[in-house]
Amino acid sequence: MSEQGLLRLSWFFVALVIASAVMLARLDLPLIAPDVEREHGEHRHDRERDTYGGLVQWSSGLVQTVVANPDTV
Amino acid sequence: MEVKEDRILVWDPFVRVFHWSLVTAFVVAWASGDEWASLHERAGYFIGTLVVLRVVWGLIGTRHARFTDFVVAPRRVGEYLNALRTGGGERYLGHNPAGAWMIVSLLVMLTLTIGSGLLMADGEQWEELHEALAWATLLLVLLHVAGVVVSGLLHHENLVRAMVTGRKVRRQLDV
Ligand code: HEM
């Protein structure tokens, strides 16, 4: 294939990257390491909610406040 | 007098998207490792996909993306580094010999790290191996970034920008 053709093919590979990212984000994957979670004495999902969930809640609260009262900023 | 620069496309769109997606996924995988299993595993699968695509592209891709363009005899790495140390060292339009072997090492280590992660489906006895491989890969990444900075400084060029725009200035003495 010519270098021009390969350059076009490279965009197809870019599309594959995007498609796999979207697919992985939407797929309901079974967890690989459920045993390890238990071994730590707590479920990672709980901690997940603690660490990141708190952050997400806090920032979405902030956004909602700002959107509701634009003059407070 | 204006010197006309000869800027040519070295890194095709896929190589650039591959690289910065890999950097992002690598950071996500590290950040989520102990905290957020579902995100961590998705990041791992994504990195695996990226590595597979990059290996295929290394066989069939554009000129400077091909392994045959940059993977050279290992002894050339020593020669290149020695030359750099003494103020010489040829400038490469594609990957230099040290960079090339760093890339091979990174791809191999990422594959092993993902493999050990998948093995954790089989039981927690693989967790230590997975963590050791992840740390070793992180070490390589730090060396990789240091190499990018140092060789960029020595050759007076911004390699990071080239990985964004894909373009590099062609010089007379390039290899
Ligand atoms: C902010 C951090 C990073 C920067 C600034 C950076 C920069 C670069 C640059 C400039 C190149 C091109 C080298 C050359 O000109 O020969 C490159 C290549 C590469 N980097 Fe990085 N990098 C970073 C992080 C990473 C990470 C985290 C990984 C892997 C986990 C990685 C893996 C690679 C690979 C595999 C290549 C080869 C690209 C190809 O030919 O497909 N990099 N990087």
Side-chain angles (χ1 to χ4, degrees):
Chain A
M1 205 186 287
S2 72
E3 199 67 7
Q4 272 310 309
L6 285 170
L7 216 53
R8 273 198 296 278
L9 188 61
S10 126
W11 283 109
F12 174 68
F13 271 63
V14 170
L16 289 178
V17 172
I18 297 169
S20 61
V22 171
M23 208 184 71
L24 282 169
R26 303 184 55 149
L27 228 58
D28 202 9
L29 300 166
L31 276 183
I32 286 182
D35 293 330
V36 179
E37 281 176 48
R38 244 172 280 128
E39 201 222 353
H40 284 267
E42 58 182 326
H43 280 278
R44 284 187 186 190
H45 277 83
D46 298 338
R47 265 196 289 158
E48 164 187 323
R49 223 162 284 130
D50 291 346
T51 331
Y52 292 94
L55 197 67
V56 170
Q57 239 168 31
W58 178 82
S59 32
S60 79
L62 185 70
V63 171
Q64 277 166 18
T65 313
V66 171
V67 169
N69 323 286
D71 40 302
T72 53
V73 192
Chain B
M1 190 183 78
E2 195 184 317
V3 183
K4 218 172 161 218
E5 282 185 346
D6 189 9
R7 295 179 69 78
I8 61 163
L9 188 71
V10 177
W11 310 126
D12 62 60
F14 169 69
V15 166
R16 289 176 275 151
V17 168
F18 158 80
H19 185 266
W20 297 114
S21 308
L22 181 58
V23 175
T24 310
F26 191 76
V27 171
V28 169
W30 261 99
S32 59
D34 287 327
E35 310 273 344
W36 191 344
S38 58
L39 180 64
H40 182 73
E41 291 174 15
R42 275 171 224 268
Y45 285 124
F46 184 54
I47 294 176
T49 312
L50 287 173
V51 170
V52 169
L53 289 175
R54 182 63 184 91
V55 169
V56 173
W57 196 239
L59 301 173
I60 64 165
T62 56
R63 178 169 166 201
H64 293 289
R66 288 191 192 216
F67 297 128
T68 50
D69 181 76
F70 59 87
V71 181
V72 293
R75 95 190 128 73
R76 297 265 306 275
V77 176
E79 287 170 8
Y80 173 76
L81 292 177
N82 268 330
L84 267 193
R85 217 159 35 85
T86 51
E90 294 148 319
R91 188 243 190 190
Y92 288 74
L93 207 47
H95 297 301
N96 67 50
W101 282 96
M102 175 54 83
I103 292 163
V104 172
S105 317
L106 281 167
L107 293 177
V108 169
M109 288 304 292
L110 289 169
T111 306
L112 293 177
T113 307
I114 290 162
S116 64
L118 289 169
L119 281 176
M120 282 171 69
D122 203 39
E124 66 209 44
Q125 71 270 28
W126 299 102
E127 190 174 15
E128 262 176 56
L129 176 66
H130 184 59
E131 285 179 1
L133 287 166
W135 276 103
T137 310
L138 180 65
L139 195 76
L140 281 182
V141 165
L142 296 178
L143 274 174
H144 160 60
V145 176
V148 164
V149 170
V150 170
S151 70
L153 285 175
L154 291 175
H155 293 301
H156 308 288
E157 63 182 339
N158 187 338
L159 294 173
V160 180
R161 189 180 61 191
M163 200 27 101
V164 175
T165 64
R167 292 182 182 274
K168 290 176 102 175
V169 177
R170 197 207 302 271
R171 296 183 195 156
Q172 220 119 62
L173 296 171
D174 285 338
V175 185

